[in-house]
Every structure is written in C-alpha cells, then in structure tokens.
C-alpha cells in the first residue's frame, strides 16, 4: 500500500459491509455463552428496551448508549476475546459479507485508496472485520472501561449519525493532501447520511429510498447474492 493514498474510502459496517447487525448478534452470542440462561434473558431484555426507545421516537444515539449500558461489569479483555471468536464463527458462514460492498472495498484498496470502517458498533467486533478486509482505520463507538472493566458508559460520543460526520472530518484532517470531494462513502441507513454527505462519491448499499431522496446522485449497490 502506498504511503500517500489517493483517496479515503469510508464504509459503514452493519448491513453495508456485513449482512447482519453485529451489535445485537454479538450481544446474544456473548451473554448466552458467558452467562447461560441469565445472560440470554439479559440480552433479550436489552433488545426490548432499545426497541421500545426506538418505537418511542428516541434518536438512534440514545439507543446506542442504552446498548452499551448492557455491558456494565464485563471485562474488556474477555469481551474482546469473544469478539474474535464471534467473528471466526460468523465469517465462516456464507452470507456474512455483502458481496458488492466487499468487492468494491477490495478494488479501492488495489487502486491505492485507504479503507476506513465507520460504525456505531465497538472494537470487539469491528476490529476483526477491519483486519480481514484490510481497513487502515476503525472509527467506532468506544465503551468506557476502568481498570479493565466496562462501566456501561460510552467514551466520548457514539459514532452514530452526526457522530459519523465528526469522526470523518477529524480523520480527514490528518490527510491534508486528500480532498473529501474525491473520497467515497458507503452506507445503507439514513443515519449514515451525515457521513455520506461529507464525501464527493456517496454510495447507497441496498437502495434506501430515504437516502436516495437526500442524495439523488448517489450510486447504488445491490445487496446481491451471498459470498
């Protein structure tokens, strides 16, 4: 990879690069495996709480914070290790990646672009994905830890909505020779709009009508067949 990349390529993760929702899948995976029936009930209760918040009109950022509250008291190193195991199992299953996006990001890397994953999910699950596809940067929500124990709070702001715009701009400042107007962004949900609006080449994965209405000139990538 060249020292000076041609462009930055920003990609959402859940339902853009991978077909599922990593946050909830890992929640179920971890708590059932680590804490048995009580853990499974805890994960289910967390899902219901977040669903109720969303149904009540709460911003997605609020739901994101509620998600991380569920991890209070867990050891960060253990969660990270289970994230690696989660990825090993899930990525071995056909359909884990959205093929069109994975192919597009691979082509960007071969062309000398630098791939950046931008996600409301957290390093335990995003880092293994980033390593697998050769991403250079991970911009994501980071849960707070004290003495290696997760507090249930978020360090800084969630990487959701306007948070994605902020981290994209911050990273771009470290690449003064690159103009965001020349860069690409991949997303599937209206919450990705602030990120997509920062780049000159937005790509909508799956054809969200709301995103396309906001960015009528965006390229569309189909979800496509499994890979």
């Amino acid at each position: 990879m060249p020292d000076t990349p041609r462009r930055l390529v920003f990609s959402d993760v859940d339902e853009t690069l991978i077909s599922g929702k990593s946050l909830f899948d890992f929640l179920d995976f971890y708590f059932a495996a680590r804490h048995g029936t009580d853990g499974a009930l805890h994960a289910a209760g967390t899902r219901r709480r977040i669903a109720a918040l969303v149904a009540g009109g709460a911003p997605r950022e609020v739901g994101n914070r509620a998600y991380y509250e569920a991890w209070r008291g867990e050891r960060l190193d253990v969660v990270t290790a289970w994230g690696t195991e989660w990825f090993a199992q899930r990525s071995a299953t056909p359909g884990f990646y959205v093929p069109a996006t994975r192919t597009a990001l691979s082509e960007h890397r071969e062309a000398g672009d630098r791939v950046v994953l931008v996600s409301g999910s957290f390093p335990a699950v995003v880092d293994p994905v980033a390593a697998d596809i050769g991403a250079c940067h991970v911009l994501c929500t980071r849960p707070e830890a004290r003495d290696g124990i997760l507090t249930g709070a978020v360090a800084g702001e969630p990487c959701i909505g306007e948070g994605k715009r902020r981290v994209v701009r911050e990273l771009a400042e470290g690449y003064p020779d690159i103009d965001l107007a020349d860069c690409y962004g991949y997303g599937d949900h209206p919450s990705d709009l602030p990120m997509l609006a920062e780049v000159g080449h937005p790509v909508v994965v799956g054809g969200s009508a709301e995103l396309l209405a906001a960015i009528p000139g965006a390229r569309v990538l189909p979800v496509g067949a499994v890979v």
Side-chain angles (χ1 to χ4, degrees):
M1 180 175 296
D3 292 335
T4 304
R6 297 192 315 154
R7 293 170 298 213
L8 297 173
V9 179
F10 302 94
S11 178
D12 174 51
V13 177
D14 290 359
E15 299 182 297
T16 294
L17 173 57
I18 69 173
S19 59
K21 292 181 179 292
S22 64
L23 282 174
F24 293 117
D25 189 42
F26 183 56
L27 181 79
D28 294 340
F29 178 87
Y30 176 88
F31 279 102
R34 283 282 293 165
H35 301 294
T37 301
D38 287 344
L41 291 172
H42 175 69
T46 298
R47 280 175 168 270
R48 287 195 298 272
R49 181 186 175 198
I50 294 172
L53 287 170
V54 172
R60 215 174 187 201
E61 295 85 344
V62 173
N64 195 246
R65 288 186 182 279
Y67 173 86
Y68 290 105
E69 290 174 7
W71 295 89
R72 183 183 296 114
E74 298 299 316
R75 285 177 48 191
L76 179 59
D77 61 342
V78 173
V79 173
T80 300
W82 277 91
T84 301
E85 179 62 26
W86 169 85
F87 175 77
Q89 291 190 28
R90 295 298 192 258
S91 63
T93 304
F96 178 75
Y97 284 107
V98 174
T101 308
R102 189 180 189 187
T103 297
L105 296 185
S106 178
E107 291 173 349
H108 278 296
R109 289 185 63 245
E110 291 172 2
D113 300 336
R114 228 159 248 192
V115 174
V116 183
L117 298 189
V118 188
S119 177
S121 194
F122 61 131
V125 288
V126 181
D127 283 352
V129 175
D132 189 49
I133 68 158
C136 289
H137 300 283
V138 170
L139 309 177
C140 66
T141 301
R142 296 188 179 271
E144 180 185 75
R146 294 178 185 167
D147 299 322
I149 304 298
L150 296 175
T151 68
V154 170
E157 296 296 322
C159 194
I160 295 284
E162 287 297 325
K164 290 191 173 185
R165 188 196 305 275
R166 174 180 53 79
V167 296
V168 164
R169 288 180 174 178
E170 289 175 354
L171 182 68
E173 289 176 358
Y175 290 90
D177 295 331
I178 293 179
D179 189 337
L180 282 174
D182 297 325
C183 296
Y184 284 72
Y186 291 78
D188 72 289
H189 188 272
S191 63
D192 295 320
L193 179 58
M195 173 182 73
L196 298 180
E198 288 298 302
V199 300
H201 302 281
V203 181
V204 176
V205 178
S208 162
E210 190 171 344
L211 272 182
L212 290 173
I215 320 173
R219 178 186 171 200
V220 177
L221 280 186
V223 172
V226 299
V227 64

